[in-house]
Amino acid sequence: MRVKFSFLKAKGVDPVLPLHHQKLISAFIREMLADYPNHTGLYNFSTLKGTSKIQAGQIRYMSSKVSLALASSDDKLVEHLIQKLSSHNEVTIGKMILVPKAHQVIHDPQFSVQMKYVCISPLVIKNAVAGEEPRTPPLDPATHEFSDHLFNVMIDRMEKAGYSDEDLNSFAEFELQPDKTYLHKVTEQGKKLVRHYKNDNNEVMPGYLIPFTLHAHPKVQKFIWDTGLGLYCNNGFGMVDLAATT
């Protein structure tokens, strides 16, 4: 189940968050789930979205409304969060004070073997390193190694989520193909394809914000839509949305 929460910015409060603010959103969600114990942890969420500009390593939100997407394979967890947010006149993420305004349940797309996605929170495929930047170079998303590594991560997560051996064996078809036009554009403009982020334990890991096509079993596509792709998904990494059609 996937939902989009809308908030209004509280007046008189500086609407600024760190550029990489997933830790702050994660802390907020954990607070909302404090009275929903023993959940599976199979959820993920986007960055905080809204018209904004970057100033001195921070995001300043210019629009009066901001939004947050959240998804989980546990519908009751999402329903609990909807109820919790509806009961609050205002909530705090970092130093931002927000007024819950509305929510919209996002219906599942038609899952097929081939789906085109964009990352709406960074995709992480390697385990984090405590206290320093990773020493090994990040994987190139255009390589088979990148796709194979992501497949192994996905299978491990689905096994832990309770999928049967029969199901897991049927998921062998898996290939991620990044948008080559996007990769070329990033290279031409001299921009970074990989940036370093921190998880809830303040550990550093490389992350990607790339559009891609994923060839995988429809059940795998559904799992990714509900719980995220890659590692540290319930820390706010690996959320995807459908790529815009042209």
Side-chain angles (χ1 to χ4, degrees):
M1 182 177 181
R2 179 174 288 218
V3 64
K4 178 182 177 182
F5 295 105
S6 298
F7 306 87
L8 295 177
K9 297 184 308 187
K11 295 181 179 179
V13 179
D14 197 17
V16 171
L17 286 178
L19 181 59
H20 304 318
H21 54 266
Q22 296 306 86
K23 282 176 58 179
L24 299 177
I25 301 175
S26 184
F28 161 70
I29 292 173
R30 289 199 309 273
E31 180 183 348
M32 293 292 106
L33 291 174
D35 56 351
Y36 188 78
N38 303 319
H39 60 78
T40 62
L42 290 172
Y43 64 86
N44 75 326
F45 51 90
S46 68
T47 56
L48 197 66
K49 304 295 184 182
T51 303
S52 61
K53 62 180 180 181
I54 299 174
Q55 295 179 326
Q58 294 185 313
I59 300 178
R60 180 173 296 277
Y61 291 90
M62 314 302 293
S63 52
S64 60
K65 186 172 76 172
V66 295
S67 64
L68 176 71
L70 181 139
S72 176
S73 55
D74 181 352
D75 289 356
K76 290 184 178 180
L77 181 148
V78 179
E79 291 165 358
H80 176 83
L81 285 170
I82 292 172
Q83 184 179 21
K84 287 286 289 189
L85 279 171
S86 299
S87 69
H88 283 68
N89 292 326
E90 61 183 32
V91 296
T92 302
I93 298 178
K95 294 182 179 179
M96 278 188 71
I97 299 176
L98 303 173
V99 179
K101 185 67 176 177
H103 71 273
Q104 175 189 2
V105 174
I106 308 298
H107 298 294
D108 286 355
Q110 184 68 42
F111 297 109
S112 62
V113 172
Q114 178 175 300
M115 304 285 290
K116 292 186 177 182
Y117 295 114
V118 293
C119 296
I120 57 175
S121 66
L123 169 63
V124 175
I125 71 167
K126 282 189 173 183
N127 286 312
V129 178
E132 60 183 49
E133 291 190 3
R135 295 179 180 177
T136 57
L139 294 176
D140 182 345
T143 63
H144 288 297
E145 184 183 4
F146 184 96
S147 182
D148 291 346
H149 194 90
L150 196 55
F151 171 74
N152 291 332
V153 169
M154 183 273 300
I155 284 292
D156 182 63
R157 291 183 65 224
M158 296 188 80
E159 182 179 16
K160 290 176 179 176
Y163 283 80
S164 67
D165 289 343
E166 182 180 358
D167 273 337
L168 295 174
N169 290 333
S170 71
F171 299 156
E173 181 183 347
F174 184 97
E175 184 179 11
L176 183 145
Q177 297 176 335
D179 185 320
K180 292 183 179 179
T181 301
Y182 174 82
L183 297 185
H184 178 74
K185 182 179 178 180
V186 169
T187 302
E188 285 288 302
Q189 295 178 349
K191 294 182 178 180
K192 292 182 179 180
L193 183 63
V194 184
R195 297 183 183 275
H196 289 105
Y197 302 89
K198 290 185 177 181
N199 63 17
D200 287 357
N201 295 323
N202 217 35
E203 297 167 326
V204 181
M205 64 235 176
Y208 307 76
L209 288 167
I210 55 173
F212 60 91
T213 299
L214 183 65
H215 299 264
H217 194 288
K219 286 185 178 180
V220 174
Q221 307 279 12
K222 166 67 172 171
F223 182 79
I224 289 167
W225 178 260
D226 283 338
T227 71
L229 178 63
L231 295 167
Y232 305 104
C233 294
N234 62 9
N235 287 197
F237 294 93
M239 190 172 215
V240 299
D241 198 1
L242 297 180
T245 56
T246 56

